[in-house]
Amino acid sequence: MYRLMTSAAAFALIAGAASADYSLTILHTNDFHARFEPISAYDSGCSAEDNDAGECFGGSARLQTAINEAKTRTNNYILVDGGDQFQGTLFYTYYKGKLAAEMMNQMGYDAMTVGNHEFDDGPEVLRGFVDAVEFPVLMSNADISGEDLLKDSIMKSTVIEKGGEKIGLIGLTPQDTDELASPGKNIIFTDPSEAVQAEVDKLTEEGVNKIIVLSHSGLNVDKKVAENTTGVDVIVGGHDNSLLSNTQEGAKGPYPVMVGDTAIVQAYAYGKFLGELNVVFDDEGVITEAKGEPILLDGSVAEEEGTKARIAEAAAPLDEIRNEVVAETSDAIEGDRSVCRAVECPMGNLVADAMLDRVKDQGIEVAIANGGGLRASIDAGEVTMGEVLTVLPFQNTLSTFQVTGATLVEALENGVSQMEDGGGRFPQVAGISFTVDPSAEPGSRISEVMVGGEPIDPEKTYGVVSNNYVRNGGDGYKMFVDAQNAYDFGPDLADVTAEYLAEQGPYAPYTDGRIKVLGSE
């Protein structure tokens, strides 16, 4: 009798083990944008004094602490990134991808996807980064076979083993990366859902039933990918800086957002949060539980001393440039992406006014600045060159050119065509005013366009100033590529803005109704 019971118990134990749940903690970041040092509440630089007072967020040293602590809460985890490590501060301008690679290696990332900003300096700088990191960099929706620098270094997907189970990882980058960055002419970007499904099918054939997509595509695209594919368990997002949370005010949705059986997460940007999703899979690889919350890296999170010292060492060559006080502002200058990609914003007015002021004696009447080129706000008081460079980090130059009124309207239509997705092409302007109806179809949203107080003339030729990125077709402004009398080699936009600020005395930020968005009042 005793032996029989033992055999039955053993059989039950074996059966239970065969169908045991598999738990995994997914730690994740996205859109870090070279914020190796702590940031202010405005996502810009934060002084050492404010940091010591506990008023700053993020930074690599806090992120390292948070990762270390999260690892102690689980015996099975992965650490992944949703893209856009590149670009955003002087650290990137000076080091390109080298410091990002060093920090990510130190923190022990398992994989990341390619963000559009990873292409800001072309395939060469991205290849150097890929060679320097100790983990796979993924991108499924791009044909890179024609780009010799990348074709053997970036995979569409990969399989890693954690806790005795195989996990498939797939990368996604924006389909319009050719408009958002500088990937060159040898890479063809493709539909995200089709690319993901192809990799899911391949991984499934290999016996992998737990599949995570690292997607630098924005929350709306992630939802569509979840709807249009089968077999995707988790999407770790990025690109539109969505904060998904069950506790944080202003979150775009819960953490996670569930679409069918697919859990979608994203953790804002700039290293302000570390995402922590705890997932349970059944034996078939289906999620039975997904819960968690992004961890706010505020002053209560201690900075890991070794990392803090390394970042201070890396910052030394940058200090002379960025600590120079160049101007003063009476109030904070709002430059948050949620504002500057949707309505007229004070930072957009400042930059557009500065551009137009610099070239108004050249017969230029209109300035257009892409909202996505504005990367931070500036707080009240002294303004340093470092703060200006954090707002305008891309080293874009002023471009002047001539187009017809009809082309200008076409440009404005392009600019407002992705408002609902927070598209960076949203136009901040000077010398021109217009009304936009977000409820209308893209291409038919613009009305009441005025230049210099007069209705725009479709046949007339106007002088325009923008930046070299927009003038050369960036953010969908292809109508400017063949503009007349184009000159793309003006002064650096950050220098122009700093000098304009300095000339104003204490600058008073403002909006004046040059962009009227119906329904936003």
Side-chain angles (χ1 to χ4, degrees), residues 334-418:
E334 175 67 79
D336 187 85
R337 61 181 285 143
S338 65
V339 181
C340 294
R341 298 180 181 211
V343 295
E344 175 191 354
C345 72
M347 188 67 75
N349 284 359
L350 165 62
V351 173
D353 287 350
M355 294 164 70
L356 188 56
D357 182 75
R358 177 59 70 98
V359 295
K360 63 187 178 187
D361 59 351
Q362 300 173 25
I364 302 300
E365 303 161 83
V366 173
I368 296 181
N370 55 320
L374 311 174
R375 309 303 291 190
S377 301
I378 291 177
D379 55 5
E382 291 185 341
V383 179
T384 64
M385 193 64 201
E387 287 180 293
V388 177
L389 286 163
T390 300
V391 174
L392 300 165
F394 299 111
Q395 297 178 291
N396 290 136
T397 54
L398 255 60
S399 290
T400 53
F401 51 97
Q402 292 178 315
V403 293
T404 64
T407 299
L408 263 179
V409 174
E410 182 187 355
L412 295 176
E413 289 285 7
N414 169 70
V416 301
S417 65
Q418 297 182 359

Coordinates of all heavy atoms in Angstrom, one line a residue, residues 334-418:
E334 N 8.0 76.0 -22.3 CA 7.3 74.7 -22.5 C 7.8 74.1 -23.8 O 7.6 74.7 -24.9 CB 5.8 74.8 -22.5 CG 5.1 73.6 -22.8 CD 5.2 72.5 -21.8 OE1 4.6 72.6 -20.7 OE2 6.0 71.6 -22.0
G335 N 8.4 72.9 -23.8 CA 8.9 72.2 -25.0 C 8.5 70.8 -25.0 O 9.1 70.0 -25.7
D336 N 7.6 70.4 -24.1 CA 7.2 69.0 -24.0 C 6.7 68.4 -25.3 O 5.9 69.1 -26.0 CB 6.2 68.8 -22.9 CG 6.0 67.3 -22.6 OD1 6.8 66.7 -21.8 OD2 5.0 66.7 -23.2
R337 N 7.0 67.2 -25.7 CA 6.6 66.7 -26.9 C 5.1 66.5 -27.0 O 4.5 66.7 -28.1 CB 7.3 65.3 -27.2 CG 6.9 64.3 -26.2 CD 7.6 63.0 -26.5 NE 7.0 62.2 -27.6 CZ 7.7 61.5 -28.5 NH1 9.0 61.5 -28.4 NH2 7.1 60.9 -29.4
S338 N 4.4 66.3 -25.9 CA 3.0 66.1 -26.0 C 2.3 67.4 -26.3 O 1.1 67.4 -26.8 CB 2.4 65.6 -24.6 OG 2.7 66.6 -23.6
V339 N 3.0 68.6 -26.1 CA 2.4 69.9 -26.5 C 2.9 70.3 -27.9 O 2.1 70.6 -28.8 CB 2.8 70.9 -25.5 CG1 2.2 72.3 -25.8 CG2 2.4 70.5 -24.1
C340 N 4.2 70.2 -28.1 CA 4.8 70.7 -29.3 C 4.5 69.9 -30.6 O 4.8 70.3 -31.7 CB 6.3 70.9 -29.1 SG 6.7 72.2 -27.9
R341 N 3.9 68.7 -30.4 CA 3.6 67.9 -31.5 C 2.0 67.9 -31.7 O 1.5 67.1 -32.5 CB 4.0 66.5 -31.3 CG 5.6 66.3 -31.2 CD 6.0 64.9 -31.0 NE 7.4 64.8 -30.9 CZ 8.2 63.8 -31.3 NH1 7.6 62.8 -31.9 NH2 9.5 63.8 -31.2
A342 N 1.4 68.8 -31.0 CA -0.1 68.9 -31.1 C -0.7 70.3 -31.3 O -1.7 70.4 -32.0 CB -0.7 68.2 -29.9
V343 N 0.0 71.3 -30.7 CA -0.6 72.6 -30.7 C 0.6 73.6 -30.8 O 1.8 73.2 -30.6 CB -1.4 73.0 -29.5 CG1 -2.7 72.1 -29.5 CG2 -0.7 72.8 -28.2
E344 N 0.3 74.9 -31.0 CA 1.4 75.9 -30.8 C 2.0 75.8 -29.4 O 1.2 75.7 -28.5 CB 0.7 77.3 -31.1 CG 1.7 78.4 -30.8 CD 0.9 79.8 -30.8 OE1 -0.3 79.8 -31.1 OE2 1.6 80.8 -30.5
C345 N 3.3 75.8 -29.3 CA 3.9 75.7 -28.0 C 5.0 76.8 -27.9 O 5.6 77.3 -28.9 CB 4.5 74.4 -27.8 SG 6.0 74.0 -28.7
P346 N 5.2 77.3 -26.7 CA 6.2 78.4 -26.4 C 7.6 78.1 -27.0 O 8.3 78.9 -27.6 CB 6.3 78.5 -24.9 CG 4.9 78.1 -24.5 CD 4.5 77.0 -25.4
M347 N 8.1 76.8 -26.9 CA 9.4 76.5 -27.4 C 9.4 76.5 -28.9 O 10.4 77.0 -29.6 CB 9.8 75.1 -26.9 CG 11.3 74.8 -27.3 SD 12.5 75.8 -26.4 CE 12.4 75.1 -24.8
G348 N 8.3 76.1 -29.5 CA 8.2 76.2 -31.0 C 8.2 77.6 -31.5 O 8.9 77.9 -32.5
N349 N 7.5 78.5 -30.8 CA 7.5 79.9 -31.1 C 8.9 80.5 -31.0 O 9.4 81.3 -31.8 CB 6.6 80.7 -30.3 CG 5.1 80.5 -30.7 OD1 4.8 79.8 -31.6 ND2 4.2 81.1 -30.0
L350 N 9.6 80.1 -29.9 CA 11.0 80.6 -29.7 C 11.9 80.2 -30.8 O 12.6 81.1 -31.4 CB 11.5 80.1 -28.4 CG 13.1 80.2 -28.2 CD1 13.5 81.7 -28.2 CD2 13.5 79.5 -26.9
V351 N 11.9 79.0 -31.2 CA 12.8 78.5 -32.2 C 12.5 79.0 -33.6 O 13.3 79.4 -34.3 CB 12.9 76.9 -32.2 CG1 13.7 76.4 -33.3 CG2 13.4 76.4 -30.9
A352 N 11.2 79.0 -33.9 CA 10.7 79.5 -35.2 C 11.0 81.0 -35.3 O 11.5 81.5 -36.3 CB 9.3 79.2 -35.4
D353 N 10.8 81.8 -34.2 CA 11.1 83.2 -34.2 C 12.6 83.4 -34.4 O 13.0 84.4 -35.1 CB 10.6 83.8 -32.9 CG 9.1 84.0 -32.8 OD1 8.4 83.8 -33.8 OD2 8.6 84.3 -31.7
A354 N 13.4 82.6 -33.7 CA 14.8 82.8 -33.8 C 15.3 82.5 -35.2 O 16.2 83.3 -35.8 CB 15.5 81.9 -32.8
M355 N 14.8 81.5 -35.9 CA 15.1 81.2 -37.2 C 14.8 82.3 -38.2 O 15.6 82.7 -39.0 CB 14.4 79.9 -37.7 CG 14.8 78.6 -36.9 SD 13.6 77.3 -37.2 CE 13.9 76.9 -38.9
L356 N 13.5 82.8 -38.1 CA 13.1 83.9 -39.0 C 13.9 85.2 -38.7 O 14.2 85.9 -39.7 CB 11.6 84.1 -38.8 CG 10.9 85.0 -39.8 CD1 11.1 84.6 -41.2 CD2 9.4 85.1 -39.5
D357 N 14.1 85.5 -37.5 CA 14.9 86.7 -37.1 C 16.3 86.7 -37.8 O 16.7 87.7 -38.2 CB 15.0 86.8 -35.6 CG 15.7 88.1 -35.2 OD1 15.1 89.2 -35.3 OD2 16.9 88.0 -34.8
R358 N 16.9 85.5 -37.8 CA 18.2 85.4 -38.3 C 18.3 85.7 -39.8 O 19.3 86.3 -40.3 CB 18.8 84.0 -38.0 CG 20.2 83.8 -38.6 CD 21.3 84.8 -38.1 NE 21.6 84.6 -36.7 CZ 22.6 83.9 -36.3 NH1 23.5 83.4 -37.1 NH2 22.8 83.8 -35.0
V359 N 17.3 85.4 -40.6 CA 17.3 85.5 -42.0 C 16.3 86.4 -42.7 O 16.1 86.4 -43.9 CB 17.2 84.1 -42.7 CG1 18.4 83.2 -42.3 CG2 15.9 83.4 -42.3
K360 N 15.6 87.2 -41.8 CA 14.5 88.0 -42.3 C 15.0 89.1 -43.3 O 14.3 89.5 -44.2 CB 13.8 88.7 -41.2 CG 14.6 89.7 -40.4 CD 13.9 90.2 -39.2 CE 14.7 91.1 -38.3 NZ 14.0 91.4 -37.0
D361 N 16.3 89.5 -43.2 CA 16.8 90.4 -44.2 C 17.2 89.8 -45.5 O 17.8 90.5 -46.4 CB 18.1 91.2 -43.6 CG 19.2 90.2 -43.2 OD1 19.0 89.0 -43.2 OD2 20.3 90.7 -42.9
Q362 N 17.0 88.5 -45.7 CA 17.3 87.8 -46.9 C 16.0 87.5 -47.7 O 16.0 86.7 -48.6 CB 18.0 86.5 -46.6 CG 19.3 86.6 -45.9 CD 19.9 85.3 -45.4 OE1 19.6 84.3 -46.1 NE2 20.7 85.3 -44.4
G363 N 14.9 88.3 -47.4 CA 13.7 88.1 -48.1 C 12.9 86.8 -47.7 O 12.0 86.3 -48.4
I364 N 13.2 86.3 -46.5 CA 12.5 85.2 -45.9 C 11.3 85.6 -45.1 O 11.4 86.5 -44.3 CB 13.5 84.3 -45.1 CG1 14.7 83.9 -45.9 CG2 12.8 83.1 -44.5 CD1 14.4 83.1 -47.1
E365 N 10.2 85.0 -45.4 CA 8.9 85.4 -44.7 C 8.4 84.4 -43.7 O 7.6 84.8 -42.9 CB 7.9 85.7 -45.8 CG 8.3 86.7 -46.9 CD 7.4 86.6 -48.1 OE1 6.3 87.2 -48.1 OE2 7.9 85.9 -49.1
V366 N 8.7 83.2 -43.9 CA 8.1 82.1 -43.2 C 9.1 81.2 -42.6 O 10.1 80.8 -43.2 CB 7.1 81.3 -44.1 CG1 6.6 80.0 -43.4 CG2 6.0 82.1 -44.6
A367 N 8.9 80.7 -41.3 CA 9.8 79.7 -40.7 C 8.9 78.5 -40.3 O 7.8 78.7 -39.8 CB 10.4 80.3 -39.4
I368 N 9.5 77.4 -40.6 CA 8.8 76.1 -40.2 C 9.8 75.2 -39.4 O 10.9 74.9 -39.9 CB 8.3 75.3 -41.4 CG1 7.2 76.1 -42.1 CG2 7.7 74.0 -40.9 CD1 6.6 75.4 -43.3
A369 N 9.5 74.9 -38.2 CA 10.3 74.0 -37.4 C 9.5 72.8 -37.0 O 8.3 72.9 -36.6 CB 10.7 74.7 -36.1
N370 N 10.1 71.6 -37.3 CA 9.3 70.4 -36.9 C 9.3 70.2 -35.4 O 10.3 70.2 -34.8 CB 10.0 69.2 -37.6 CG 11.5 69.0 -37.3 OD1 12.2 70.0 -37.3 ND2 11.9 67.8 -37.2
G371 N 8.1 69.9 -34.9 CA 8.0 69.7 -33.5 C 8.8 68.6 -32.9 O 9.3 68.7 -31.7
G372 N 9.1 67.6 -33.7 CA 10.0 66.5 -33.2 C 11.4 66.9 -33.0 O 12.2 66.2 -32.4
G373 N 11.8 68.1 -33.6 CA 13.2 68.6 -33.4 C 13.4 69.2 -32.0 O 14.5 69.6 -31.7
L374 N 12.3 69.4 -31.3 CA 12.3 70.1 -30.0 C 12.3 69.0 -28.9 O 11.3 68.3 -28.8 CB 11.2 71.1 -29.8 CG 10.9 72.0 -31.0 CD1 9.7 72.8 -30.8 CD2 12.1 72.9 -31.2
R375 N 13.4 68.9 -28.1 CA 13.5 67.7 -27.3 C 13.4 67.9 -25.8 O 13.5 66.9 -25.1 CB 14.9 67.0 -27.6 CG 15.2 66.8 -29.1 CD 14.1 66.0 -29.8 NE 14.1 64.6 -29.4 CZ 13.5 63.6 -30.0 NH1 12.7 63.9 -31.0 NH2 13.5 62.4 -29.5
A376 N 13.1 69.1 -25.4 CA 13.0 69.3 -23.9 C 12.4 70.7 -23.7 O 12.3 71.5 -24.6 CB 14.3 69.2 -23.2
S377 N 12.1 70.9 -22.4 CA 11.7 72.3 -22.0 C 12.9 72.9 -21.3 O 13.9 72.3 -21.1 CB 10.5 72.2 -21.0 OG 9.4 71.6 -21.5
I378 N 12.8 74.2 -21.0 CA 13.8 74.9 -20.2 C 13.2 75.6 -19.0 O 12.1 76.2 -19.2 CB 14.5 76.0 -21.1 CG1 15.4 75.3 -22.2 CG2 15.4 76.9 -20.3 CD1 16.0 76.2 -23.2
D379 N 13.8 75.4 -17.8 CA 13.1 76.0 -16.7 C 13.5 77.5 -16.6 O 14.4 78.0 -17.3 CB 13.5 75.2 -15.4 CG 15.0 75.1 -15.2 OD1 15.8 75.7 -16.0 OD2 15.4 74.4 -14.2
A380 N 12.8 78.2 -15.7 CA 13.0 79.6 -15.5 C 14.4 79.9 -14.9 O 15.0 79.1 -14.2 CB 11.9 80.2 -14.6
G381 N 14.8 81.1 -15.3 CA 16.1 81.6 -14.7 C 17.2 81.6 -15.8 O 17.0 81.8 -17.0
E382 N 18.4 81.3 -15.3 CA 19.6 81.3 -16.2 C 19.4 80.1 -17.2 O 19.0 79.0 -16.9 CB 20.9 81.1 -15.5 CG 21.3 82.4 -14.7 CD 22.6 82.2 -14.0 OE1 23.1 81.0 -13.9 OE2 23.3 83.2 -13.6
V383 N 19.8 80.4 -18.5 CA 19.8 79.4 -19.5 C 21.2 79.1 -19.9 O 21.9 80.0 -20.3 CB 19.0 79.8 -20.7 CG1 19.0 78.8 -21.8 CG2 17.5 80.2 -20.3
T384 N 21.6 77.8 -19.8 CA 23.0 77.4 -20.2 C 22.9 76.9 -21.7 O 21.9 76.5 -22.2 CB 23.5 76.3 -19.3 OG1 22.7 75.2 -19.4 CG2 23.5 76.8 -17.8
M385 N 24.1 76.9 -22.2 CA 24.2 76.3 -23.6 C 23.9 74.8 -23.5 O 23.3 74.3 -24.5 CB 25.6 76.5 -24.1 CG 25.7 76.2 -25.6 SD 24.7 77.4 -26.6 CE 24.5 76.5 -28.1
G386 N 24.2 74.2 -22.4 CA 23.8 72.8 -22.3 C 22.3 72.5 -22.4 O 21.8 71.6 -23.0
E387 N 21.5 73.5 -21.8 CA 20.1 73.4 -21.9 C 19.6 73.6 -23.3 O 18.7 72.8 -23.8 CB 19.4 74.4 -21.0 CG 19.5 74.1 -19.5 CD 18.9 75.1 -18.6 OE1 19.4 76.3 -18.6 OE2 17.8 74.8 -18.0
V388 N 20.2 74.5 -24.0 CA 19.8 74.8 -25.4 C 20.1 73.6 -26.2 O 19.3 73.2 -27.1 CB 20.5 76.1 -25.9 CG1 20.1 76.3 -27.4 CG2 20.1 77.3 -25.1
L389 N 21.2 73.0 -26.0 CA 21.6 71.8 -26.8 C 20.8 70.6 -26.5 O 20.6 69.7 -27.3 CB 23.1 71.5 -26.6 CG 24.1 72.5 -27.2 CD1 25.5 72.4 -26.7 CD2 24.1 72.2 -28.8
T390 N 20.2 70.5 -25.3 CA 19.3 69.4 -24.9 C 18.0 69.6 -25.7 O 17.4 68.6 -26.1 CB 19.1 69.4 -23.4 OG1 20.3 69.2 -22.7 CG2 18.2 68.2 -23.0
V391 N 17.6 70.9 -25.8 CA 16.4 71.1 -26.6 C 16.6 70.8 -28.1 O 15.8 70.2 -28.8 CB 15.9 72.6 -26.5 CG1 14.7 72.9 -27.4 CG2 15.5 72.9 -25.0
L392 N 17.8 71.2 -28.6 CA 18.1 71.2 -30.0 C 19.4 70.4 -30.2 O 20.5 71.0 -30.5 CB 18.2 72.6 -30.6 CG 17.0 73.5 -30.5 CD1 17.3 74.9 -30.7 CD2 15.9 73.0 -31.5
P393 N 19.4 69.1 -30.1 CA 20.7 68.3 -30.0 C 21.2 67.8 -31.4 O 22.2 67.2 -31.5 CB 20.3 67.1 -29.2 CG 18.8 66.9 -29.5 CD 18.2 68.2 -29.7
F394 N 20.4 68.1 -32.5 CA 20.7 67.4 -33.7 C 21.8 68.0 -34.6 O 22.1 67.5 -35.7 CB 19.4 67.2 -34.5 CG 18.4 66.4 -33.8 CD1 17.2 67.0 -33.3 CD2 18.5 65.1 -33.5 CE1 16.2 66.3 -32.7 CE2 17.6 64.3 -32.9 CZ 16.4 64.9 -32.4
Q395 N 22.3 69.1 -34.2 CA 23.3 69.8 -35.0 C 22.8 70.1 -36.4 O 23.5 70.1 -37.4 CB 24.6 69.0 -35.1 CG 25.3 68.7 -33.8 CD 26.5 67.9 -33.9 OE1 26.4 66.7 -34.1 NE2 27.7 68.5 -33.7
N396 N 21.5 70.4 -36.4 CA 20.9 70.9 -37.7 C 21.3 72.3 -38.0 O 21.5 73.1 -37.1 CB 19.3 70.9 -37.6 CG 18.8 69.4 -37.6 OD1 17.9 69.2 -36.8 ND2 19.3 68.6 -38.4
T397 N 21.4 72.6 -39.3 CA 21.7 73.9 -39.7 C 20.5 74.6 -40.3 O 19.5 73.9 -40.8 CB 22.8 73.9 -40.8 OG1 22.5 73.0 -41.9 CG2 24.1 73.4 -40.2
L398 N 20.5 76.0 -40.4 CA 19.4 76.7 -41.0 C 19.5 76.5 -42.5 O 20.6 76.5 -43.1 CB 19.6 78.2 -40.7 CG 18.6 78.8 -39.7 CD1 18.8 78.0 -38.4 CD2 18.8 80.3 -39.5
S399 N 18.3 76.2 -43.1 CA 18.2 76.1 -44.6 C 17.2 77.2 -45.0 O 16.1 77.3 -44.5 CB 17.6 74.7 -44.9 OG 18.6 73.7 -44.7
T400 N 17.6 77.9 -46.1 CA 16.6 78.8 -46.7 C 16.3 78.4 -48.1 O 17.2 77.8 -48.8 CB 17.2 80.2 -46.7 OG1 18.5 80.2 -47.3 CG2 17.4 80.8 -45.3
F401 N 15.1 78.7 -48.6 CA 14.7 78.2 -49.9 C 13.4 78.9 -50.3 O 12.8 79.7 -49.5 CB 14.5 76.7 -49.9 CG 13.6 76.2 -48.8 CD1 12.2 75.9 -49.0 CD2 14.1 75.9 -47.6 CE1 11.4 75.5 -48.0 CE2 13.2 75.4 -46.5 CZ 11.9 75.2 -46.8
Q402 N 13.0 78.7 -51.5 CA 11.7 79.3 -52.0 C 10.8 78.3 -52.6 O 11.2 77.4 -53.3 CB 12.1 80.4 -53.1 CG 12.8 81.6 -52.6 CD 13.2 82.5 -53.8 OE1 13.6 82.1 -54.8 NE2 13.0 83.8 -53.6
V403 N 9.5 78.4 -52.2 CA 8.5 77.6 -52.7 C 7.2 78.4 -52.9 O 7.1 79.5 -52.4 CB 8.1 76.4 -51.7 CG1 9.3 75.4 -51.6 CG2 7.7 76.9 -50.3
T404 N 6.2 77.8 -53.6 CA 5.0 78.5 -53.9 C 4.1 78.4 -52.6 O 4.3 77.5 -51.8 CB 4.2 77.9 -55.1 OG1 3.9 76.5 -54.8 CG2 5.1 78.0 -56.3
G405 N 3.1 79.2 -52.6 CA 2.1 79.1 -51.6 C 1.4 77.8 -51.5 O 1.1 77.2 -50.4
A406 N 1.1 77.2 -52.7 CA 0.5 75.9 -52.8 C 1.4 74.8 -52.1 O 0.9 73.9 -51.4 CB 0.2 75.5 -54.2
T407 N 2.7 74.9 -52.3 CA 3.7 74.0 -51.7 C 3.7 74.2 -50.2 O 3.8 73.2 -49.4 CB 5.1 74.2 -52.3 OG1 5.0 73.9 -53.7 CG2 6.1 73.2 -51.7
L408 N 3.6 75.4 -49.7 CA 3.6 75.7 -48.3 C 2.4 75.1 -47.6 O 2.5 74.4 -46.6 CB 3.6 77.2 -48.0 CG 4.9 77.9 -47.7 CD1 4.7 79.4 -47.6 CD2 5.6 77.3 -46.5
V409 N 1.2 75.2 -48.3 CA 0.0 74.5 -47.7 C 0.2 73.0 -47.7 O -0.2 72.3 -46.7 CB -1.2 74.9 -48.5 CG1 -2.5 74.2 -48.1 CG2 -1.5 76.4 -48.4
E410 N 0.8 72.5 -48.8 CA 1.0 71.0 -48.8 C 2.0 70.6 -47.7 O 1.8 69.6 -47.0 CB 1.7 70.7 -50.2 CG 2.0 69.2 -50.3 CD 2.7 68.9 -51.6 OE1 3.0 69.8 -52.4 OE2 3.1 67.7 -51.8
A411 N 2.9 71.5 -47.4 CA 3.9 71.2 -46.3 C 3.1 71.2 -44.9 O 3.3 70.3 -44.1 CB 5.0 72.2 -46.2
L412 N 2.2 72.2 -44.7 CA 1.5 72.2 -43.5 C 0.6 71.0 -43.4 O 0.4 70.5 -42.3 CB 0.6 73.5 -43.5 CG 1.4 74.9 -43.4 CD1 0.4 76.0 -43.5 CD2 2.3 74.9 -42.2
E413 N -0.1 70.6 -44.5 CA -0.9 69.4 -44.4 C -0.1 68.2 -44.0 O -0.5 67.3 -43.2 CB -1.5 69.1 -45.8 CG -2.6 70.1 -46.2 CD -3.9 69.9 -45.4 OE1 -4.0 69.0 -44.5 OE2 -4.9 70.6 -45.8
N414 N 1.1 68.1 -44.5 CA 2.0 67.0 -44.1 C 2.3 67.1 -42.6 O 2.3 66.1 -41.8 CB 3.4 67.0 -44.9 CG 4.4 66.1 -44.2 OD1 4.3 64.9 -44.3 ND2 5.4 66.7 -43.6
G415 N 2.6 68.3 -42.2 CA 2.9 68.6 -40.8 C 1.9 68.1 -39.8 O 2.2 67.7 -38.7
V416 N 0.6 68.3 -40.1 CA -0.5 67.9 -39.2 C -1.1 66.6 -39.5 O -2.1 66.2 -38.9 CB -1.6 69.0 -39.2 CG1 -1.0 70.4 -38.9 CG2 -2.3 69.1 -40.6
S417 N -0.5 65.8 -40.4 CA -1.1 64.6 -40.9 C -1.0 63.4 -39.8 O -1.7 62.4 -40.0 CB -0.5 64.1 -42.2 OG 0.9 63.8 -42.0
Q418 N -0.1 63.6 -38.9 CA 0.0 62.5 -37.9 C -0.2 63.0 -36.4 O 0.4 62.5 -35.5 CB 1.4 61.9 -38.0 CG 1.7 61.2 -39.3 CD 3.0 60.6 -39.4 OE1 3.8 60.6 -38.5 NE2 3.3 59.9 -40.5

